[in-house]
Amino acid sequence: MPPKKIDYIFRKLEKEYPNPRSELKYKNKFTFLLSVILSAQSTDVSVNKATKELFKVAKNPDQILELGEKKLKNFIKTIGLYNSKAKNIILLS
């Protein structure tokens, strides 16, 4: 898609939705990013359930790394594709 068309679409969306909101619950920009990653092939409801406890113990990359992939999987195992998502979240962190 040409950049001009992309800009046009974003301007229209910004006018229509000046204050967009997400159903995902998060603590900061990093936890929002994790929620978005986890939401692929999943519902926002299931992501919010899983991250409710996760975000009590891990709110930044260092805390995710401290948690480790195995413990991270325990928090997100109710979400589809949790094995690959956990691996990629560790790599991201």
Side-chain angles (χ1 to χ4, degrees), residues 32-54:
F32 181 63
L33 175 61
L34 295 187
S35 293
V36 170
I37 291 167
L38 293 170
S39 71
Q41 305 278 326
S42 301
T43 66
D44 291 350
V45 171
S46 66
V47 171
N48 288 338
K49 284 181 185 177
T51 58
K52 181 178 181 181
E53 295 303 315
L54 173 62

Side-chain angles (χ1 to χ4, degrees), residues 22-38:
S22 172
E23 295 296 320
L24 294 170
K25 295 185 173 141
Y26 56 95
K27 304 280 184 184
N28 55 42
K29 291 178 183 179
F30 179 72
T31 58
F32 181 63
L33 175 61
L34 295 187
S35 293
V36 170
I37 291 167
L38 293 170

Side-chain angles (χ1 to χ4, degrees), residues 61-85:
D62 290 333
Q63 291 171 335
I64 290 290
L65 290 174
E66 275 182 42
L67 195 62
E69 188 174 332
K70 186 175 180 181
K71 288 182 184 174
L72 175 59
K73 285 180 184 182
N74 286 329
F75 283 100
I76 65 170
K77 64 185 172 191
T78 58
I79 298 173
L81 306 172
Y82 75 95
N83 284 312
S84 61
K85 290 177 183 180

Side-chain angles (χ1 to χ4, degrees), residues 7-20:
D7 289 341
Y8 171 77
I9 291 169
F10 273 101
R11 283 193 307 277
K12 293 288 263 184
L13 287 170
E14 189 173 33
K15 282 182 182 179
E16 189 70 30
Y17 304 100
N19 298 306

Side-chain angles (χ1 to χ4, degrees), residues 1-9:
M1 186 178 300
K4 282 186 176 187
K5 186 165 185 157
I6 294 170
D7 289 341
Y8 171 77
I9 291 169

